[in-house]
Each structure stands twice: as structure tokens, then as C-alpha cells.
Amino acid sequence: MDRKSLLREIEPVAGELLNRHLGVAKEWFPHEMVPYSRGKDFVAGEQWKDSDADFGAVNNEMSDAVRASLYVNLLTEDNLPYYFRDIDQLFGNDGAYGEWGRNWTAEEGRHSIVIRDYLTVTRAIDPIALERARMQQVRTGQVPAPLDLYEALAYLSMQELATRIAHRNTGKAMADEVGQAIMSRVGNDENLHYLFLPRFGNGGDRR
């Protein structure tokens, strides 16, 4: 079965799963989770130090492993323009597929907003290094290129599962309760995205 025929065949399933997702997904706002009261102005050219971090009432230390995980997780979210492009090209922008792709993109966009704002406000990571890495990441535009629809569904399912695990485990390793809550919230979103994809690929099988 060619790609267009397959998409027509399973579009009703995509519509059902989209409605299910919209029914269980919870609206939330990044600005209500970020501890802006900890923030202070940055001085141009000022060299960042890990001792600058402010994690509230807890010890102002963060392990290198947690910093590295937050860094990589955020850069993964920053690749959103390319993910949207590829999903749009593979599935099209009409009907249930288009609505799912745009809604998924909007929800994923919140993830980079809340993680970056948290890292900036708490000074958990060198903001100059982080911005330079974002520029390099997006300029390069390197993302997996699935060969067909089947491979794309498999990749997307594994990617959402991997990000769910990464965000949740990173949050559990953080001492700051605000950081824990943010990563848990993002991980919950990724879990809903993951639940959509395998069922979609299996034609709606809910086993």
C-alpha cells in the first residue's frame, strides 16, 4: 500500500486518537511554573559561574550529569521547526493529521519555553553557552530522516518515549522542587504524545 492510500485508510483512527488526546491533555502555562522572583539582571560580558545558581531554599548545587541532561533535553526541544517540517511533509497538513501536527507543535513549544526560562532565571547553566549551542543546533538542522511512513511512526514513537523518560528522570535527580515540577509537567506531555503514536501505528489498538 502506498503512502497516500495508507494515510487515507488510517485517518479515522488518527481523528479518534486526536479527540482522545484533546480530551485528556491539560492546559498549563509556563509563566506560572517559572520562579521569576529568583531572577536578576545579567551584566553584559559577565562570566557565568556555577556558584551563581539559585535553586531556592535547597543547596545551590547541581550535578554535572543533571546540567548535561537539561542542556541536551532543551536542545532537543529547540529542533522543533525541523520536526514540524518533517511531520508536515510525511503526513500532510489537512484533516486530522494537520490538526495533530499543529497541536503537537504548539504543546512542544511550551517545553522549550518553560525549560529555558527556568534555566535562565535560576542561572543553572551558562546562558551564553546555551544560546550559542541553540544557534548551532538550529543552523545545522540535523534531524533523523525516516525513509517511509512506517519508519517515521516507529521513530516518532521511540522519540516520544525517550523524551518522556529523559525529562522525568532529570526532574527526579533535581533537588529544586520547582525544577522537579517543571520536568514532571513536560514529561507528562511527552507521555500523552507517546500514547498517541503506537496506537495510531497499530490502527487504534488500545491493548
Side-chain angles (χ1 to χ4, degrees):
M1 184 180 294
D2 63 31
R3 184 178 67 88
K4 290 184 178 180
S5 297
L6 177 60
L7 287 172
R8 283 196 300 269
E9 180 75 18
I10 61 178
E11 183 168 15
V13 174
E16 291 176 7
L17 292 173
L18 171 63
N19 289 333
R20 176 191 176 280
H21 175 82
L22 295 175
V24 298
K26 295 182 179 179
E27 183 181 43
W28 59 278
F29 304 97
H31 74 275
E32 293 180 351
M33 303 195 74
V34 177
Y36 291 106
S37 61
R38 299 185 198 170
K40 58 182 180 180
D41 292 343
F42 286 90
V43 177
E46 181 181 31
Q47 183 67 37
W48 175 87
K49 305 182 298 297
D50 57 8
S51 59
D52 294 337
D54 183 354
F55 300 121
V58 300
N59 190 308
N60 277 346
E61 292 185 1
M62 176 179 282
S63 71
D64 290 341
V66 172
R67 276 199 172 91
S69 183
L70 288 166
Y71 180 87
V72 172
N73 288 353
L74 180 53
L75 291 182
T76 300
E77 300 289 352
D78 282 332
N79 256 345
L80 185 59
Y82 298 105
Y83 299 142
F84 174 76
R85 177 201 62 190
D86 291 350
I87 289 173
D88 188 68
Q89 290 176 349
L90 280 165
F91 296 95
N93 56 20
D94 296 324
Y97 301 120
E99 187 174 352
W100 164 257
R102 291 186 292 273
N103 185 76
W104 176 86
T105 301
E107 291 180 351
E108 290 285 343
R110 283 194 297 219
H111 301 169
S112 58
I113 291 170
V114 74
I115 296 173
R116 176 170 284 101
D117 282 3
Y118 172 79
L119 295 179
T120 301
V121 165
T122 61
R123 299 184 178 227
I125 291 179
D126 182 347
I128 293 177
L130 187 61
E131 175 60 9
R132 286 174 174 166
R134 185 194 69 83
M135 290 292 291
Q136 178 64 24
Q137 176 90 345
V138 179
R139 281 172 174 162
T140 303
Q142 291 186 348
V143 293
L147 297 176
D148 54 38
L149 192 59
Y150 301 101
E151 190 174 297
L153 285 170
Y155 166 74
L156 289 169
S157 297
M158 292 301 98
Q159 172 69 7
E160 294 295 344
L161 176 60
T163 52
R164 181 193 77 182
I165 294 171
H167 290 315
R168 284 182 172 177
N169 286 351
T170 300
K172 290 176 182 178
M174 298 172 71
D176 184 7
E177 291 183 356
V178 175
Q180 293 173 10
I182 286 173
M183 300 311 291
S184 176
R185 177 68 266 173
V186 172
N188 288 344
D189 275 7
E190 300 290 7
N191 185 55
L192 291 179
H193 296 165
Y194 166 68
L195 292 175
F196 175 92
L197 288 159
R199 291 172 178 174
F200 174 44
N202 290 333
D205 189 348
R206 287 172 171 76
R207 289 177 295 176

